[in-house]
Amino acid sequence: MRYIGSKVNLLEEIENFIKENINDNSSVFTDLFSGTGSVAEYFKKDYEVNSNDFLYFSYVLQQAKVVNNSVPEFKGLKQLGIEEPVYYLENAEFDIDESYFITKNYSPYNQSERMYLSIENASRIDFIRQCINKWKAESLITELEYFYLLAVLIEAVPYVSNISGTYGAYLKHWDKRALGKLTLEPINVTNNSKKNSAYNMDSNELVKTLRGDILYIDTPYNSRQYITNYHLLETIALYDYPEVYGKTGLRPYENQKSKFCSKKEVYSAYDNLIKNARHRHIIISYSTDGILSIDEITEILLKHGVSTTFNLKKIPYRKYKSKHEQESNELFELLFYVQKDIPTILDEEKPFDLFSINDIEVEGINESANSDYISVVDGQHSSVAVLEKPITKPVKPVKIEKYKKIAYVKSPLNYVGGKFKLLNQIIPLFPERINTFVDLFAGGLNVGINVNANKIVANDINTFVVDVLNAMKNNSEQEILGHIKKRINEFNLSKENEEGFKAFRDVYNKNKNALDLYTLVCYSFNYQFRFNNNLEYNNPFGRNRSQFSPALEKKLIEFINTIQNKNVEIYNNEFQNIDFSQLTPEDLVYCDPPYLITTGSYNDGNRGFKDWDLKQEQKLLQILDELNSNGIRFALSNVLVHKGKKNELLIEWSKKYNVHHLNYNYSNSSHNTSKGESDEVLITNY
């Protein structure tokens, strides 16, 4: 793909520059401004790679080529008889529909003036986008399969686009290439057997929370905003039907302007980027044709790095022919290097944290640089650690008043991450008066079912959980119990009959009946609710332990009566798709998302449902900030620390609100949490 500032021709130069300056055991490489991903993809052979870009179409490419370690198998589509999805998308027949956004806006369809694409190719793009969206919505493809197919499409579009290089303008006459047929080429994927990551974030925010060894920075050089030059690829990737405007059909981009393209803001943006970097080795690509001068970049690097390690390499680069006279006859591509005085990537098992390491003596504080560094010594070895803020005493936990035990209603689903055992600490922290209670990540509904509110809105992304909750809400007690007991007799289910359990599990995986699922859970290991990546229930038999006992039946009846007597509405949506516009200050939004720093199976992305990553976390926190700005109350359950890991993003964000440290089963609920313990919190804005 043709891309402004592409480093395809400089990859070997960059690699040699790394070898010249870095000779330690660096293992994690971060490409902070990935673009088309040529650098991230190239260094995937040597490192675990993090890639990031503010443009969504770039994020799609990174998901397919960096995060992905193999060409997807598309098992769900093969069951439908679609053996080669790429071939199918390229050749299947279709009729142009009124919903074909690209066709209507970027081709000469119905006398439109824009000539970015031929009608044939534009309509094929619309067909492909709608097709893979439909497959994803119906769970026929996984998240990575979705990104792979979308990346295949994005890489194909420039080869049939009627442009001179970017989408800043279209040609007035048809280029021969643009009249050819859109051809999809499968993407080759490098397997480095590592857990690579991709982000779609503001680089200056991401760099504060992301740790690694080598940080590669390739910002825009000049005032040309990338979003305006690649707006069509962004629209194809998002397929969000934007209100386009102008002769070229630009999408709104006010929120996607880069500070690195602004003469007024670029120096400050660069300075903050290097200051907040949590990587030991910094490498920058730039150009003598850029907004910043060599002296300005050097000044920033020497300010925040170890001056004796600074290195600059100039690579002669032939500039494209231009009608404008250049200030200099020679143009150079620049490579900068500096080392920051911090450790190599922190060991996840032994995080280098002032308040969580045992037997570490603070030797002294570097008073310069706003006390961002401390020297520490453990016996014979000394090193330096970076602090997010100046040293302060550990935050004391908020003491929760002891409440008398209340007989809370328990969900019939033993859902991972359920909050039943914490209800006596969480619910007393809710407001006394709640009109509408939104349980945004309801799970088994342990929290929502016990809240005193005029209306309870329960939402979860897991279709099967929602189906069970709806079955409990919409069927009578007699119908539900009758169905369960009929299945128990039909398959002779018991604590010992594993063959009957397996036969019943096979039946459920074919018919997906919600009451069958609940019955199946009752005889499963630990009563757990688990699916594989093919959306098949795969929890093993609970031999000698699990059964539909009289006690379980009693709890089920209590739940059925409660959910049917309360005003409960149940939804199955991704959290960001919920409409909050009708909420008032009398309402409360409660969030119990997957925890970013834990490793539960519900958020690993391998169970047929969307995984929870830094991008998802950032999106949720932004929504909560917006609710706060609109005067809507919220409460967020999460952990700040877990088994030695810290959620730096959440800790920083939570400073704006009230943090209640819960103490159930935790010997120490302050920030002074040692390895193996967790700091479970409820964060509120009221």
Side-chain angles (χ1 to χ4, degrees):
M1 180 188 297
R2 290 177 291 179
Y3 195 74
I4 298 172
S6 173
K7 294 298 179 290
V8 170
N9 296 328
L10 290 169
L11 290 172
E12 290 187 5
E13 289 280 4
I14 296 170
E15 184 173 33
N16 291 334
F17 191 66
I18 289 176
K19 291 177 180 178
E20 290 172 14
N21 292 281
I22 302 172
N23 56 12
D24 58 21
N25 294 321
S26 293
S27 61
V28 179
F29 182 96
T30 299
D31 185 2
L32 204 55
F33 299 80
S34 279
T36 57
S38 58
V39 173
E41 190 178 6
Y42 182 81
F43 285 103
K44 189 179 176 183
K45 60 184 172 56
D46 302 313
Y47 305 98
E48 175 186 322
V49 175
N50 299 314
S51 69
N52 174 67
D53 203 278
F54 206 32
L55 295 181
Y56 186 74
F57 86 86
S58 171
Y59 171 70
V60 170
L61 296 177
Q62 311 322 313
Q63 283 282 357
K65 298 191 287 187
V66 176
V67 176
N68 216 358
N69 268 334
S70 63
V71 175
E73 297 181 11
F74 299 103
K75 292 180 180 179
L77 294 179
K78 288 179 179 177
Q79 291 177 359
L80 292 181
I82 302 176
E83 293 292 329
E84 299 291 343
V86 173
Y87 178 84
Y88 174 86
L89 293 173
E90 186 178 282
N91 294 282
E93 295 183 359
F94 62 88
D95 294 319
I96 295 178
D97 187 272
E98 277 303 305
S99 63
Y100 276 22
F101 185 84
I102 304 301
T103 307
K104 291 169 61 177
N105 289 280
Y106 298 102
S107 79
Y109 182 73
N110 278 354
Q111 284 75 52
S112 169
E113 294 183 359
R114 298 187 189 117
M115 297 171 56
Y116 281 107
L117 299 159
S118 69
I119 296 175
E120 179 186 0
N121 288 328
S123 59
R124 174 63 63 179
I125 291 169
D126 279 308
F127 166 74
I128 293 172
R129 282 304 286 113
Q130 295 192 13
C131 195
I132 63 177
N133 274 3
K134 179 174 180 289
W135 287 345
K136 182 186 177 187
E138 295 176 354
S139 299
L140 294 172
I141 55 176
T142 66
E143 191 86 356
L144 280 177
E145 288 172 342
Y146 169 82
F147 282 123
Y148 180 87
L149 292 176
L150 186 48
V152 167
L153 172 62
I154 289 171
E155 292 217 322
V157 171
Y159 292 100
V160 291
S161 296
N162 194 38
I163 57 176
S164 60
T166 73
Y167 294 87
Y170 52 83
L171 300 176
K172 295 180 181 179
H173 303 284
W174 288 105
D175 184 272
K176 184 178 179 180
R177 296 184 323 146
L179 297 176
K181 177 186 175 184
L182 179 74
T183 303
L184 305 181
E185 295 291 341
I187 294 173
N188 293 322
V189 178
T190 300
N191 182 4
N192 66 355
S193 301
K194 302 180 188 299
K195 186 174 176 58
N196 310 292
S197 302
Y199 302 94
N200 180 213
M201 291 178 59
D202 182 321
S203 58
N204 284 74
E205 293 301 317
L206 177 63
V207 79
K208 296 176 183 177
T209 61
L210 201 60
R211 286 173 172 160
D213 296 313
I214 302 172
L215 180 64
Y216 175 71
I217 299 172
D218 181 23
T219 67
Y221 298 167
N222 52 44
S223 58
R224 291 180 294 178
Q225 293 285 344
Y226 275 68
I227 182 60
T228 59
N229 283 291
Y230 298 97
H231 65 94
L232 182 52
L233 296 183
E234 189 78 348
T235 297
I236 292 172
L238 289 165
Y239 210 66
D240 53 353
Y241 292 81
E243 292 289 337
V244 300
Y245 64 93
K247 186 174 183 179
T248 59
L250 281 176
R251 58 183 292 117
Y253 67 95
E254 283 302 313
N255 294 329
Q256 286 182 286
K257 285 185 177 180
S258 173
K259 293 179 180 179
F260 296 94
C261 296
S262 167
K263 291 182 179 180
K264 293 182 179 179
E265 298 178 291
V266 62
Y267 185 92
S268 176
Y270 242 110
D271 185 68
N272 287 329
L273 195 67
I274 305 304
K275 175 185 175 181
N276 293 321
R278 307 293 297 277
H279 292 61
R280 185 173 176 83
H281 305 288
I282 311 292
I283 292 178
I284 295 176
S285 281
Y286 211 69
S287 170
T288 50
D289 197 31
I291 300 174
L292 285 177
S293 67
I294 293 178
D295 289 344
E296 287 173 318
I297 296 177
T298 301
E299 180 181 59
I300 292 170
L301 292 178
L302 294 181
K303 178 180 177 182
H304 300 294
V306 179
S307 60
T308 55
T309 66
F310 176 81
N311 192 10
L312 168 62
K313 185 174 185 178
K314 295 182 178 180
I315 304 167
Y317 189 81
R318 184 183 298 275
K319 189 174 179 63
Y320 293 112
K321 291 181 180 180
S322 172
K323 296 178 182 178
H324 304 287
E325 185 177 344
Q326 302 300 318
E327 293 182 6
S328 173
N329 292 326
E330 257 189 311
L331 179 72
F332 290 93
E333 186 73 19
L334 306 171
L335 289 175
F336 295 86
Y337 169 80
V338 79
Q339 179 179 312
K340 289 198 73 174
D341 195 7
I342 60 176
T344 53
I345 186 167
L346 306 183
D347 186 335
E348 289 188 357
E349 290 300 313
K350 296 183 66 177
F352 204 51
D353 184 321
L354 179 64
F355 298 128
S356 67
I357 283 190
N358 297 322
D359 302 320
I360 295 282
E361 176 187 356
V362 176
E363 184 181 61
I365 301 175
N366 180 350
E367 295 296 341
S368 63
N370 297 318
S371 299
D372 283 339
Y373 302 96
I374 60 167
S375 299
V376 298
V377 59
D378 59 341
Q380 298 178 344
H381 304 288
S382 63
S383 190
V384 177
V386 177
L387 298 179
E388 285 290 316
K389 58 181 181 179
I391 296 177
T392 58
K393 294 181 179 179
V395 178
K396 293 182 178 179
V398 176
K399 292 183 179 179
I400 299 175
E401 183 182 350
K402 296 293 183 182
Y403 291 87
K404 63 182 181 179
K405 290 188 176 180
I406 299 174
Y408 291 110
V409 177
K410 192 176 190 305
S411 168
L413 294 175
N414 185 23
Y415 201 68
V416 177
K419 289 294 178 290
F420 182 75
K421 292 183 178 180
L422 288 172
L423 288 177
N424 66 335
Q425 297 182 60
I426 291 175
I427 289 184
L429 293 172
F430 288 163
E432 290 185 9
R433 287 187 174 185
I434 303 174
N435 182 32
T436 298
F437 179 84
V438 180
D439 198 343
L440 198 56
F441 302 82
L445 200 58
N446 272 309
V447 177
I449 199 69
N450 287 289
V451 171
N452 184 20
N454 294 328
K455 182 170 76 171
I456 298 166
V457 175
N459 175 72
D460 202 272
I461 191 176
N462 191 314
T463 308
F464 304 117
V465 172
V466 170
D467 287 347
V468 173
L469 294 177
N470 274 317
M472 301 299 177
K473 180 177 182 291
N474 299 322
N475 293 281
S476 69
E477 176 186 323
Q478 292 75 17
E479 289 172 327
I480 294 170
L481 294 177
H483 184 98
I484 293 170
K485 292 176 180 179
K486 178 182 177 182
R487 286 305 206 187
I488 292 173
N489 293 330
E490 184 178 353
F491 290 90
N492 193 24
L493 298 176
S494 70
K495 291 193 292 184
E496 293 80 27
N497 185 8
E498 185 171 359
E499 293 305 315
F501 169 83
K502 288 182 176 178
F504 183 41
R505 188 174 63 186
D506 289 340
V507 168
Y508 167 73
N509 281 327
K510 291 178 182 177
N511 64 34
K512 294 293 195 293
N513 179 281
L515 292 178
D516 281 352
L517 175 57
Y518 171 74
T519 309
L520 192 59
V521 168
C522 292
Y523 291 87
S524 298
F525 178 72
N526 279 353
Y527 300 96
Q528 287 183 348
F529 188 95
R530 195 181 78 174
F531 286 78
N532 64 20
N533 205 35
N534 292 323
L535 300 180
E536 296 174 333
Y537 185 81
N538 70 341
N539 204 30
F541 179 53
R543 181 179 296 280
N544 296 325
R545 300 182 65 178
S546 305
Q547 65 172 336
F548 185 64
S549 63
L552 206 59
E553 181 176 348
K554 181 180 178 181
K555 290 179 180 178
L556 175 61
I557 292 172
E558 184 180 20
F559 184 87
I560 293 170
N561 291 333
T562 305
I563 198 171
Q564 293 185 1
N565 289 327
K566 287 193 172 186
N567 180 15
V568 180
E569 296 179 3
I570 303 171
Y571 296 92
N572 177 213
N573 287 306
E574 293 190 19
F575 71 92
Q576 65 267 32
N577 294 333
I578 295 295
D579 182 11
F580 299 103
S581 62
Q582 302 303 312
L583 296 182
T584 73
E586 296 297 311
D587 304 324
L588 175 67
V589 177
Y590 171 69
C591 303
D592 181 25
Y595 294 167
L596 185 65
I597 57 175
T598 67
T599 54
S601 61
Y602 59 83
N603 70 336
D604 63 4
N606 295 321
R607 309 292 165 186
F609 302 100
K610 195 166 188 175
D611 60 326
W612 192 264
D613 55 20
L614 188 60
K615 180 191 173 192
Q616 297 288 95
E617 186 101 343
Q618 185 82 10
K619 195 179 296 182
L620 174 61
L621 299 184
Q622 181 180 351
I623 287 174
L624 295 181
D625 283 336
E626 291 171 358
L627 289 173
N628 182 66
S629 298
N630 294 328
I632 309 301
R633 299 175 297 190
F634 71 74
L636 169 67
S637 282
N638 218 302
V639 289
L640 300 181
V641 181
H642 179 72
K643 293 184 178 180
K645 295 181 180 180
K646 295 177 70 175
N647 188 333
E648 303 283 2
L649 173 66
L650 186 63
I651 290 171
E652 185 64 28
W653 177 85
S654 67
K655 293 175 184 177
K656 299 181 286 187
Y657 302 111
N658 301 311
V659 180
H660 309 277
H661 298 267
L662 309 183
N663 54 21
Y664 184 88
N665 271 354
Y666 305 121
S667 59
N668 185 345
S669 59
S670 73
H671 288 296
N672 190 18
T673 306
S674 62
K675 182 179 177 182
E677 296 178 346
S678 294
D679 184 6
E680 182 108 21
V681 297
L682 186 75
I683 303 171
T684 65
N685 69 333
Y686 53 85

